[in-house]
Amino acid sequence: MDDVLSRLEHLQREREKELDGLYRLAALYSRSAGNLREILEGTANIIRSSLQVPDCAEVTVSSGAVMAAAGSLSGAGGSTPTDVYRVEHPYAADRVLSIGVVCYRTDGPSRELSDSVIAEREKRLVDSAARLLGNVLLRM
């Protein structure tokens, strides 16, 4: 019984992080005054912090030649990618927004968590962010 309750509490905390991420994305997109780099960096940081194991993840967001990354782990010694999820969202006739999430297995106290894959709900968060950000970029 305690295991079930503990698991439900964990799932609820994760869902709260994702909803908080969407609220923070909406706030970022409503206050940004056209600074593309700031918007992309903010998006990458918010998505990363909304993941189940943010310390074991790397998020990249790019539009054209402008790219932002949060949590660069690809060069860390001993890091092995465990899952990759990428969304490409066309937002104009010749423009594409790309958001990528890579989870890594790392040595350390959270190793058992970092072996997991990107959850379906986290993929939906990335999809939602791409659609919202695409609309913002189109208006810019």
Side-chain angles (χ1 to χ4, degrees), residues 44 47-48 51 56-61 83-87 98-104 118 122-123 126:
I47 290 173
R48 182 173 184 254
L51 298 174
C56 299
E58 176 181 53
V59 177
T60 57
V61 182
D83 199 5
V84 177
Y85 185 69
R86 179 166 307 282
V87 172
S98 177
I99 301 178
V101 179
V102 180
C103 286
Y104 291 92
I118 301 166
E122 293 171 331
K123 291 177 182 179
V126 173

Side-chain angles (χ1 to χ4, degrees), residues 40-101:
L40 298 184
E41 288 173 356
T43 300
N45 286 318
I46 291 168
I47 290 173
R48 182 173 184 254
S49 68
S50 300
L51 298 174
Q52 182 172 335
V53 188
D55 294 342
C56 299
E58 176 181 53
V59 177
T60 57
V61 182
S62 63
S63 175
V66 181
M67 186 182 96
S72 181
L73 298 172
S74 58
S79 296
T80 306
T82 58
D83 199 5
V84 177
Y85 185 69
R86 179 166 307 282
V87 172
E88 292 190 350
H89 180 74
Y91 64 91
D94 61 342
R95 305 214 178 189
V96 176
L97 164 71
S98 177
I99 301 178
V101 179

Side-chain angles (χ1 to χ4, degrees), residues 7 30 33 36-38 40 44-45 48 54 91 98 102 128 133:
R7 179 74 179 143
S30 67
L36 180 59
R37 182 161 305 281
E38 176 186 305
L40 298 184
N45 286 318
R48 182 173 184 254
Y91 64 91
S98 177
V102 180
S128 296
L133 181 53

Side-chain angles (χ1 to χ4, degrees), residues 2-16:
D2 286 340
D3 288 341
V4 172
L5 184 57
S6 177
R7 179 74 179 143
L8 289 174
E9 289 173 344
H10 172 74
L11 291 173
Q12 181 179 356
R13 282 191 304 274
E14 289 305 312
R15 184 65 177 146
E16 288 171 354

Side-chain angles (χ1 to χ4, degrees), residues 16-26 46 49-50 125:
E16 288 171 354
K17 278 179 22 183
E18 293 156 15
L19 288 172
D20 181 60
L22 280 174
Y23 293 140
R24 291 187 299 147
L25 286 170
I46 291 168
S49 68
S50 300
L125 173 67

